[in-house]
Amino acid sequence: MAKKTKTSASGKSGKHVYLFGGGKADGNGGMKPLLGGKGAGLAEMCRIGLPVPPGFTITTEVCTYYYDHKRTYPPSLKPQMQAGLASIERITGKKFGDVKNPLLVSVRSGARDSMPGMMDTILNLGLNDQTVEGLATKTGNPRFAWDCYRRFVQMYGDVVLGVQKREDEDHEPFETVIHTLKHERYHQDIEDTKLSPDDLKELVKRFKALVKQRAGKDFPASPWDQLMGAVGAVFGSWMNDRAIVYRRKYNIPSEWGTAVNVQAMVYGNTGDRSGSGVAFTRNPANGVKEFYGEFLINAQGEDVVAGVRTPEPVAQLKSHLPKAYQELERIRQTLEKHFKDVQDFEFTIEDGTVYMLQTRNGKRTAMAALKFSMDMVKEKLIDWKTAVMRNPADQLDQLLAPVFDANEAKKAQVIATGLPAGPGAASGQIYLNANRAVDAANRKEQVLLVRVETSPEDLRGMIAAEGILTARGGVSSHAALVARQMGKVCVCGASALDIDYHARTVKVDGKTFKEGDWLSIDGTAGKVFAGRVATAPSEIVAGLVDGNAAAKQTEKFKSFQQLMKWCDQATRMSVRTNADTPEQTENAMAFGAVGIGLCRTEHMFFEGNRIDAMREMILADTVEARKAALAKLLPYQRDDFAGIFRALKGLPATIRFLDPPLHEFLPHTPEQQKDLAKKMGIPAEKIHARVEQLHEFNPMLGFRGCRLGIDFPEISEMQARAVFEAAAIVQAEGVKVRPEIMIPLVGFKKELDLQLELVHRVASEVQAERKTKLNYMVGTMIEVPRGALTADEIAQSAEFFSFGTNDLTQTGLGMSRDDSGSFLPHYAELEIVKKNPFATIDRTGVGQLVEIAVTKGRATRKDIKLGICGEHGGDPDSIQFFEKVGLDYVSASPYRVPVARLAAAQAAISSKR
Ligand code: ADP
Ligand code: MG
Ligand code: MG
């Protein structure tokens, strides 16, 4: 691979063009990086004998070359393309540019990961005033020939020559020309299929005039020039705005590039025994095993997606073209058997014969992914480990998202129904335009984007919205596609909606809804409700957390449990939780957490009137006074810990001693200071002075963490006593207790030692007082670079490390999380950082600190226990890294626990593969 990159980067040699057709292919399905998803899929379908029109793929390396060399091509590309065309000509018996039997081709983009709607396709390339006559004569179908020609001029004019809607225009200029002609000649909007050959001929003429006027040059007549122009446009589209936005959202590196596919045309527009469609081998919204898709008779493929006409469900083909339907069913079976996954494919029927134009793993909702994986194991199509891998961890929370409360939904008024394209429940204030939806979301409104249909320009608005509702469009509409991909709640094709963009209203069922009014959509049932319908926990949450018996009987719940069981079988790392209360602990355990990885004790100083004692402690002048104040806190903390230990039922708990800067506990306004002064019977000035004294320029790097416990050992002593007394009490109740005391922000071994000595001393005191033996550990958080770099020294004292990757990222990058919002988005745009380092661990930088600490820690103490308790513990991508460096566990917030379990299992499975 490395060698290949090298030769092609020099551009002098190398294979740039991969042929497919006639049951053979140079490439195969495994070559997505080089051939793009579409090219690899076409090659693989050829290999397994599916009917694919012949063609060739220009590799993604040529795209990279193109951008590295001022938008030029490697010299050997041209001869290889000519050879490719010759091969297509041989297989089809047609000739490119021939006036008697012209070969027409499509030019299609295809990136490694499919980027639907992002790149532009050109069909019927190779037509000019001469070849069109040849095509008409050869087929005896002038309407068809001229329909192809007008489509070609229109697409090419748009995509390659840039004749597009201008700011001041409401409609695409080519569509305006069509509209005008229809009204001139028929005085109404007739269907495109009703246009006569002469109408189409006239359209071509007018289109060309439009091109000349807008682009300032003649429409190219030479097929070869047309081809090179189209190839350039596909490569050029890799850097268009839409593609860039999409790549950013899905973290697709721009280096990947796109491939170009040049393929012989097959024609879905020759008449009533022809058509085009898209289909899924199973239902990608809810996972049901049924043939799912749609088609249009007498149409080319772009009509299906463009929403010009409303497609029919694929089942209708059964009566209309039974042979073709049978063939599609056979193909559906073949695809699943071969790819062992649900396929999303595109086909064209030419005079009753089916041709395959694309296949890929179908995008699916989390619900469908779960059902597919369960069903396919039952069908023995895949094994259970593959089933685990098939559920995207970062989508799993879709399954935990609330659904509409059944009773509320019954009472609510259904005002329309549509296609259930994205399962789940969403309520929001409606907006009819993407920009206004984004603005509203920025104002923290809950937004529902309502459109007649969506297009890629609406993407930002769709991302910002809770849910998407459209009046038009079927399973292959843009809205449905995005819903599957992003897990958005979506109802599409709710045709009862009368949407008026101009008035910004939606009329339905005799009512009018204005922008800002509330609607609710049920993307599982395809229902639209007036107003705001209350939600209830998903069946999984209801079953696990609330123990709801009915919920436990649902297929969703059972499948989820099965999946989690497999996860446990596969995983090496365990999953703990970040929890500070018994309730959070119980929830997390219901989700399968096997202990607490981080119990923050801050709130134990805050709640109720504890804060008064805390403030007293901070304001005290003497150790005695401080101790007296702390003594008031002790019983509270002891109770808190006892509650948590009971909830844990013997599972371990990592308890972090006080961490935040002290000034966070003091009142800051003069009024609050006066109040406190009165309560405590001291002068307000004294409080003011102490607050001033504690003020810091960089609290994040200031008097906090173990620095507090070192300056005020009485605080740590009190906390240790609270932990151990609680442990003794709960242990006496017959519950096993396993506290792991964690000292925060350690950078020097001596810091830990000072606290360690104190903890052990208090432990012996309590054990002696209570005449009991306690099982506990003391360890540290690794969250400053010095701690990571001197981990060998620290491990002499620490029995465990827990990586505090939030602070380790802040201190490792020298970047405050709370202040990074002003520049981080720009950094992401410039690709200085590929992902937000506070969400996904920066492997090469911060990750290296983790690796160093792991290696050094283990070198000193072989069995040192290693975990991670930062935000990254719930992030699938980071979890994969933690598996790689060999941590023992990750800790995530309670509702992220299932995600972490799935991600940990997947990381373990893929590390063995
Ligand atoms: P996208 O990536 O947006 O799906 P495609 O390259 O798949 O774009 O092209 C869109 C549609 O154009 C296809 O689904 C198919 O219907 C039609 N198409 C592409 N190539 C051909 C071809 N060689 N013959 C007939 N139709 C084609
Ligand atoms: Mg396609
Ligand atoms: Mg920290």
Side-chain angles (χ1 to χ4, degrees), residues 38 108 346 358 360:
K38 204 176 284 167
R108 325 165 61 186
E346 301 176 5
Q358 187 171 334
R360 59 186 170 207

Side-chain angles (χ1 to χ4, degrees), residues 579-582 585 596 599 604 639-648 653:
D580 312 339
T581 65
T585 308
I596 293 181
C599 173
M604 297 183 183
D639 281 357
D640 289 344
F641 288 130
I644 289 169
F645 292 149
R646 287 188 192 107
L648 278 167

